[in-house]
Amino acid sequence: MSASKLKKIMNRAGGTKKETMASTSHSSEISQRDHIAFALEDVNLFYGDFQALRDITFDLPAHQVTAFIGPSGCGKSTLLRCFNRMNDLIDNCRIEGAIYRNGVNINSDSVDVVDLRTHVGMVFQQPNPFPKSIYDNVAYGLVCQGVRSKKVLDEAVASSLKKAALWDEVKDHLRRDATQLSGGQQQRLCIARAIALQPDVILMDEPTSALDPIATARIEDLITQLKEEYTIVIVTHSMSQAARISDKTAFFLLGDLIEFGPTDDIFQNPRDTRTEDYITGKFG
Ligand SMILES: Nc1ncnc2c1ncn2[C@@H]1O[C@H](COP(=O)(O)OP(=O)(O)OP(=O)(O)O)[C@@H](O)[C@H]1O
Ligand SMILES: [Mg+2]
């Protein structure tokens, strides 16, 4: 990659505050950079000989909700896992290209993957609380980091449960087994568990597909509130959900990013006929 191309990408994807201040005097440019959570450049991903993602290049905005949509098998979960290097856990998986976060390619060997996953949390399709108490679930990550102060843990548990809109329902029985909560409560608990580590980004892979409409609506409200503080990426098969809660939408097909842009544009005025066919239910 040429030096000028690399510089362009670094500028798009942030960099340290010092670099930012040194390299430009334009405040608008600074704020523009600060509003990109990840800059993807020619990302190609292979499972063995099978190519699951092809030349994916786009800037993922910070403090917004971005929805990944597309038919089953198009690579949505695969790309989501790229943002916290969860694909590292898959033996035959190989990734090419760069994903810049704060000016650093997260795929470089020098990146501390545990630290990356602390800042980039994940919530899965099936709520997966540990078979522990509500309190211990939320405190788990901090305890693993070595936090022992009861006061610090108490405060973190309360504040995370409040942010996940679960506090009022569980505050009087924090020692209850988390697996006894309803599915919707369990999913909010998993969000609280991610929030406790003070991430910048929360990745959600079909977080409401196992929930009823009321629990789904609560999670959707929550996501809308959380974007004030976090960057949210959500994979969804629900077109109405993407339209309701996301600011940006990315449409994928067979490993290609077909279209990315403001959700209103993608849904009301798609540029590509394949996007239109998918969102109007002609295939998928
Ligand atoms: N561990 C793996 N090993 C080999 N191939 C895989 C692996 N995981 C995913 N794939 C393949 O990569 C492609 C993309 O899969 P992925 O799970 O990312 O799709 P998806 O868009 O999330 O689909 P869905 O909507 O069904 O969840 C598929 O063809 C899938 O079979
Ligand atoms: Mg998936």
Side-chain angles (χ1 to χ4, degrees), residues 135 139 142 147-159:
Y135 183 101
L142 293 171
V147 178
R148 292 290 175 267
S149 158
K150 185 173 177 317
K151 184 164 175 281
V152 171
L153 291 173
D154 285 356
E155 281 172 8
V157 167
S159 114

Side-chain angles (χ1 to χ4, degrees), residues 47 50 52 70-78 81 90 92 206 237:
Y47 295 111
F50 174 72
S72 193
C74 68
K76 304 178 296 297
S77 299
T78 298
R81 290 195 297 267
I90 300 172
N92 63 349
E206 301 187 53
H237 279 281

Side-chain angles (χ1 to χ4, degrees), residues 36-53:
I36 296 171
F38 294 100
L40 292 80
E41 189 72 21
D42 294 328
V43 173
N44 288 283
L45 185 144
F46 303 82
Y47 295 111
D49 294 336
F50 174 72
Q51 184 162 9
L53 294 174

